[in-house]
mmCIF file of all heavy atoms in Angstrom:
data_model
loop_
_atom_site.group_PDB
_atom_site.id
_atom_site.type_symbol
_atom_site.label_atom_id
_atom_site.label_comp_id
_atom_site.label_asym_id
_atom_site.label_seq_id
_atom_site.Cartn_x
_atom_site.Cartn_y
_atom_site.Cartn_z
ATOM 1 N N ALA G 35 -0.408 0.779 2.961
ATOM 2 C CA ALA G 35 -1.471 0.629 1.975
ATOM 3 C C ALA G 35 -2.789 0.245 2.641
ATOM 4 O O ALA G 35 -2.793 -0.262 3.771
ATOM 5 C CB ALA G 35 -1.109 -0.434 0.928
ATOM 6 N N THR G 36 -3.850 0.499 1.937
ATOM 7 C CA THR G 36 -5.186 0.035 2.384
ATOM 8 C C THR G 36 -5.641 -1.084 1.450
ATOM 9 O O THR G 36 -4.801 -1.711 0.819
ATOM 10 C CB THR G 36 -6.205 1.193 2.387
ATOM 11 O OG1 THR G 36 -6.322 1.649 1.063
ATOM 12 C CG2 THR G 36 -5.728 2.333 3.282
ATOM 13 N N GLY G 37 -6.935 -1.343 1.377
ATOM 14 C CA GLY G 37 -7.430 -2.420 0.486
ATOM 15 C C GLY G 37 -7.663 -3.671 1.309
ATOM 16 O O GLY G 37 -7.420 -3.721 2.514
ATOM 17 N N SER G 38 -8.109 -4.729 0.620
ATOM 18 C CA SER G 38 -8.443 -5.940 1.384
ATOM 19 C C SER G 38 -7.192 -6.734 1.737
ATOM 20 O O SER G 38 -7.143 -7.388 2.807
ATOM 21 C CB SER G 38 -9.413 -6.806 0.609
ATOM 22 O OG SER G 38 -9.041 -6.907 -0.723
ATOM 23 N N THR G 39 -6.166 -6.701 0.883
ATOM 24 C CA THR G 39 -4.966 -7.567 1.140
ATOM 25 C C THR G 39 -4.300 -7.265 2.504
ATOM 26 O O THR G 39 -4.008 -8.201 3.202
ATOM 27 C CB THR G 39 -3.963 -7.401 -0.010
ATOM 28 O OG1 THR G 39 -4.679 -7.580 -1.266
ATOM 29 C CG2 THR G 39 -2.842 -8.435 0.092
ATOM 30 N N PRO G 40 -4.048 -6.020 2.861
ATOM 31 C CA PRO G 40 -3.273 -5.790 4.092
ATOM 32 C C PRO G 40 -4.052 -5.981 5.408
ATOM 33 O O PRO G 40 -3.395 -5.939 6.462
ATOM 34 C CB PRO G 40 -2.807 -4.341 3.995
ATOM 35 C CG PRO G 40 -3.524 -3.709 2.878
ATOM 36 C CD PRO G 40 -4.311 -4.733 2.154
ATOM 37 N N LEU G 66 0.034 5.606 1.223
ATOM 38 C CA LEU G 66 0.201 5.752 -0.227
ATOM 39 C C LEU G 66 -0.797 6.725 -0.853
ATOM 40 O O LEU G 66 -0.440 7.438 -1.775
ATOM 41 C CB LEU G 66 -0.127 4.419 -0.873
ATOM 42 C CG LEU G 66 0.906 3.378 -1.111
ATOM 43 C CD1 LEU G 66 0.238 2.079 -1.457
ATOM 44 C CD2 LEU G 66 1.843 3.824 -2.222
ATOM 45 N N ASP G 67 -2.006 6.694 -0.356
ATOM 46 C CA ASP G 67 -3.073 7.388 -1.121
ATOM 47 C C ASP G 67 -4.282 7.710 -0.258
ATOM 48 O O ASP G 67 -4.395 7.218 0.862
ATOM 49 C CB ASP G 67 -3.469 6.529 -2.340
ATOM 50 C CG ASP G 67 -3.597 5.028 -2.039
ATOM 51 O OD1 ASP G 67 -3.725 4.671 -0.868
ATOM 52 O OD2 ASP G 67 -3.640 4.247 -3.004
ATOM 53 N N TYR G 80 -9.430 6.507 3.589
ATOM 54 C CA TYR G 80 -8.289 5.695 3.989
ATOM 55 C C TYR G 80 -7.821 6.130 5.387
ATOM 56 O O TYR G 80 -7.244 5.286 6.091
ATOM 57 C CB TYR G 80 -7.180 5.789 2.927
ATOM 58 C CG TYR G 80 -7.526 5.077 1.629
ATOM 59 C CD1 TYR G 80 -6.745 5.183 0.511
ATOM 60 C CD2 TYR G 80 -8.701 4.245 1.555
ATOM 61 C CE1 TYR G 80 -7.084 4.502 -0.654
ATOM 62 C CE2 TYR G 80 -9.010 3.578 0.399
ATOM 63 C CZ TYR G 80 -8.209 3.721 -0.731
ATOM 64 O OH TYR G 80 -8.513 3.063 -1.887
ATOM 65 N N GLY G 132 -0.056 -3.151 -2.195
ATOM 66 C CA GLY G 132 -0.896 -4.159 -2.793
ATOM 67 C C GLY G 132 -0.820 -4.033 -4.304
ATOM 68 O O GLY G 132 -0.124 -3.149 -4.806
ATOM 69 N N LEU G 133 -1.511 -4.899 -4.986
ATOM 70 C CA LEU G 133 -1.470 -4.869 -6.483
ATOM 71 C C LEU G 133 -2.878 -4.887 -7.014
ATOM 72 O O LEU G 133 -3.681 -5.764 -6.725
ATOM 73 C CB LEU G 133 -0.700 -6.125 -6.975
ATOM 74 C CG LEU G 133 -0.617 -6.284 -8.490
ATOM 75 C CD1 LEU G 133 0.186 -5.165 -9.159
ATOM 76 C CD2 LEU G 133 0.048 -7.653 -8.808
ATOM 77 N N GLY G 134 -3.221 -3.835 -7.822
ATOM 78 C CA GLY G 134 -4.517 -3.792 -8.438
ATOM 79 C C GLY G 134 -4.665 -4.823 -9.559
ATOM 80 O O GLY G 134 -3.642 -5.253 -10.137
ATOM 81 N N HIS G 138 -2.213 -1.654 -11.121
ATOM 82 C CA HIS G 138 -1.931 -0.370 -10.473
ATOM 83 C C HIS G 138 -1.264 -0.584 -9.127
ATOM 84 O O HIS G 138 -1.407 -1.618 -8.474
ATOM 85 C CB HIS G 138 -3.170 0.509 -10.335
ATOM 86 C CG HIS G 138 -4.200 0.099 -9.337
ATOM 87 N ND1 HIS G 138 -5.547 0.114 -9.601
ATOM 88 C CD2 HIS G 138 -4.115 -0.345 -8.077
ATOM 89 C CE1 HIS G 138 -6.216 -0.285 -8.541
ATOM 90 N NE2 HIS G 138 -5.358 -0.564 -7.584
ATOM 91 N N ILE G 139 -0.451 0.443 -8.725
ATOM 92 C CA ILE G 139 0.138 0.482 -7.392
ATOM 93 C C ILE G 139 -0.160 1.865 -6.824
ATOM 94 O O ILE G 139 -0.071 2.846 -7.536
ATOM 95 C CB ILE G 139 1.686 0.195 -7.387
ATOM 96 C CG1 ILE G 139 2.388 0.906 -8.538
ATOM 97 C CG2 ILE G 139 1.938 -1.291 -7.421
ATOM 98 C CD1 ILE G 139 3.920 0.725 -8.542
ATOM 99 N N GLY G 140 -0.565 1.910 -5.565
ATOM 100 C CA GLY G 140 -1.176 3.106 -5.092
ATOM 101 C C GLY G 140 -2.385 3.342 -6.022
ATOM 102 O O GLY G 140 -3.121 2.376 -6.375
ATOM 103 N N ARG G 167 -17.517 -2.183 -4.078
ATOM 104 C CA ARG G 167 -17.966 -3.075 -2.999
ATOM 105 C C ARG G 167 -17.869 -2.364 -1.644
ATOM 106 O O ARG G 167 -18.534 -2.719 -0.704
ATOM 107 C CB ARG G 167 -17.171 -4.373 -3.027
ATOM 108 C CG ARG G 167 -15.688 -4.181 -2.784
ATOM 109 C CD ARG G 167 -14.804 -5.351 -3.279
ATOM 110 N NE ARG G 167 -13.510 -4.810 -3.705
ATOM 111 C CZ ARG G 167 -12.334 -5.205 -3.184
ATOM 112 N NH1 ARG G 167 -12.311 -6.131 -2.299
ATOM 113 N NH2 ARG G 167 -11.225 -4.632 -3.582
ATOM 114 N N LYS G 202 -5.390 -12.690 -8.732
ATOM 115 C CA LYS G 202 -4.221 -11.846 -8.860
ATOM 116 C C LYS G 202 -3.120 -12.557 -9.678
ATOM 117 O O LYS G 202 -2.118 -11.902 -10.063
ATOM 118 C CB LYS G 202 -3.677 -11.393 -7.520
ATOM 119 C CG LYS G 202 -4.559 -10.431 -6.727
ATOM 120 C CD LYS G 202 -4.443 -9.028 -7.203
ATOM 121 C CE LYS G 202 -5.501 -8.092 -6.556
ATOM 122 N NZ LYS G 202 -5.188 -7.712 -5.189
HETATM 123 C C1 F6R E 301 -4.490 0.929 -1.479
HETATM 124 C C2 F6R E 301 -3.837 0.933 -2.751
HETATM 125 C C3 F6R E 301 -4.262 0.061 -3.874
HETATM 126 C C4 F6R E 301 -4.435 -1.417 -3.441
HETATM 127 C C5 F6R E 301 -4.838 -2.277 -4.647
HETATM 128 C C6 F6R E 301 -5.118 -3.697 -4.250
HETATM 129 O O1 F6R E 301 -3.918 1.872 -0.574
HETATM 130 O O2 F6R E 301 -2.969 1.735 -2.927
HETATM 131 O O3 F6R E 301 -3.289 0.138 -4.911
HETATM 132 O O4 F6R E 301 -3.281 -1.884 -2.888
HETATM 133 O O5 F6R E 301 -5.983 -1.747 -5.269
HETATM 134 O O6 F6R E 301 -6.253 -3.748 -3.459
HETATM 135 P P1 F6R E 301 -6.739 -5.094 -2.726
HETATM 136 O O7 F6R E 301 -5.748 -5.405 -1.659
HETATM 137 O O8 F6R E 301 -8.070 -4.721 -2.154
HETATM 138 O O9 F6R E 301 -6.817 -6.151 -3.800
#
Side-chain angles (χ1 to χ4, degrees):
T36 62
S38 45
T39 310
L66 269 168
D67 43 17
Y80 290 171
L133 177 64
H138 72 223
I139 44 178
R167 63 201 149 121
K202 292 279 171 79

